[in-house]
Amino acid sequence: MTQRIAIQGELGSYSHEACRNERPDMDVLPCRNFEDAINAVRSGEAELAMLPVENSTYGRVADIHRLLPHSGLHIIDETFVRVHINVLGVPGAKLEDITDAHSHLVLLPQCARFLNENNIRGRVSPDNARAARDVAEAKDKTHAALASELAGEIYGLDVLARHIEDQGDNTTRFLTMSRTPDHSRRGEHGMITSFVFEVRNIPAALYKAMGGFATNGVNMTKLESYMVGGSFTATQFYADIDGHPDDPNVRLAMDELAYFTTNIEILGIYPANRDRL
């Protein structure tokens, strides 16, 4: 039986594209939101989840870092999807026919220049793949969707204009999540360790906690903070570092981190994707 991988959103989304690139042998399970995608894996309905965590233009994806520490899942891989935005219209439509284009609120500003130049009004849709489905069902030649070419394939739409995004390097990073951790050394580009921690309530705790990574030569590629439980005083940090916890320098750095923190939780140990290099 074919295994399943859960995503937030509908078929044809960029999450679906990430699955097709990295797990083409798995069936995609669309879910209403991130919580449903996580729960699908926890319950065994799906074996894996493909979750977006950050975008090169818009930063981190809302809610993901809040959900990951309590998800019960483990990061086993990362992948990057180049976000190409295309104008998708019903068969027979031409670009000059389009008066309205539908897409997710985040995607519309990414192609504002193209929309202005072509006198097209942007319309907000819950999801870019949902926009493609709605346009296909409406069969209105004046309405288009802004989405991936994959969405056009799935919903039978024509590509009226390709790669209309304003930024030429817009990329989203995805994490593959599993019920079972995989801490084995693998891949050809080194390992990444992701973890969350809370610092002790002492002066300069974060500064001191970070000192161990500098003195032991461990490269920290990401450090983000967010509130815990609605408190303005309890702050949790999410971090990515280069290396495996069994590496001597990483072990020393993590030991020093532990001294200045109240809690450390490893979210995943996984191979670095070549596209991050």
Side-chain angles (χ1 to χ4, degrees):
M1 185 175 66
T2 305
Q3 294 185 319
R4 297 204 287 183
I5 182 167
I7 62 169
Q8 181 276 328
E10 305 203 18
L11 296 178
S13 65
Y14 294 101
S15 294
H16 185 184
E17 190 171 325
C19 294
R20 192 169 73 163
N21 292 345
E22 295 299 316
R23 304 282 172 161
D25 56 325
M26 301 184 76
D27 287 341
V28 175
L29 175 65
C31 297
R32 183 172 55 89
N33 52 41
F34 293 125
E35 289 92 338
D36 287 350
I38 289 170
N39 288 334
V41 180
R42 293 178 64 176
S43 68
E45 187 179 3
E47 282 67 40
L48 302 174
M50 182 70 74
L51 302 177
V53 290
E54 58 189 321
N55 176 268
S56 60
T57 302
Y58 281 87
R60 70 183 180 193
V61 176
D63 292 335
I64 280 295
H65 292 104
R66 174 181 61 82
L67 294 171
L68 290 184
H70 310 291
S71 68
L73 304 183
H74 308 270
I75 306 168
I76 62 168
D77 249 323
E78 69 172 355
T79 188
F80 296 82
V81 170
R82 176 69 178 80
V83 180
H84 288 303
I85 305 173
N86 308 278
V87 180
L88 307 177
V90 298
K94 299 178 181 178
L95 182 60
E96 51 266 31
D97 297 329
I98 305 302
T99 60
D100 297 80
H102 304 258
S103 195
H104 190 275
L105 178 64
V106 171
L107 255 66
L108 290 173
Q110 296 180 31
C111 46
R113 184 184 306 119
F114 179 91
L115 297 180
N116 289 334
E117 290 174 353
N118 290 274
N119 296 315
I120 297 173
R121 290 185 294 269
R123 301 292 192 186
V124 176
S125 180
D127 180 80
N128 56 78
R130 171 65 179 273
R133 190 185 75 181
D134 289 346
V135 166
E137 291 176 351
K139 296 182 172 61
D140 185 340
K141 289 186 177 182
T142 67
H143 285 247
L146 306 179
S148 67
E149 289 193 53
L150 175 59
E153 294 174 16
I154 291 174
Y155 300 108
L157 299 175
D158 290 345
V159 179
L160 307 184
R162 282 184 169 85
H163 304 179
I164 66 168
E165 59 274 9
D166 294 341
Q167 299 295 327
D169 57 356
N170 192 14
T171 302
T172 298
R173 179 188 180 213
F174 291 83
L175 299 178
T176 305
M177 309 293 296
S178 171
R179 288 187 300 277
T180 306
D182 183 355
H183 294 173
S184 64
R185 294 182 184 272
R186 56 202 191 278
E188 302 176 356
H189 305 289
M191 299 293 290
I192 301 292
T193 298
S194 295
F195 56 94
V196 292
F197 64 94
E198 293 180 39
V199 296
R200 294 167 56 191
N201 190 21
I202 59 175
L206 179 61
Y207 173 80
K208 295 173 182 176
M210 295 295 95
F213 295 97
T215 56
N216 288 287
V218 177
N219 183 36
M220 180 170 287
T221 58
K222 177 169 291 296
L223 179 65
E224 292 190 346
S225 65
Y226 52 100
M227 301 298 180
V228 178
S231 170
F232 285 97
T233 58
T235 302
Q236 192 168 58
F237 295 88
Y238 172 98
D240 291 339
I241 59 172
D242 288 340
H244 191 287
D246 290 341
D247 296 339
N249 62 330
V250 173
R251 185 168 61 249
L252 290 171
M254 295 299 285
D255 287 345
E256 190 163 340
L257 175 68
Y259 181 79
F260 295 103
T261 59
T262 57
N263 179 57
I264 301 175
E265 181 179 353
I266 301 292
L267 299 181
I269 304 166
Y270 50 97
N273 189 287
R274 64 185 181 277
D275 292 328
R276 79 158 46 230
L277 303 179

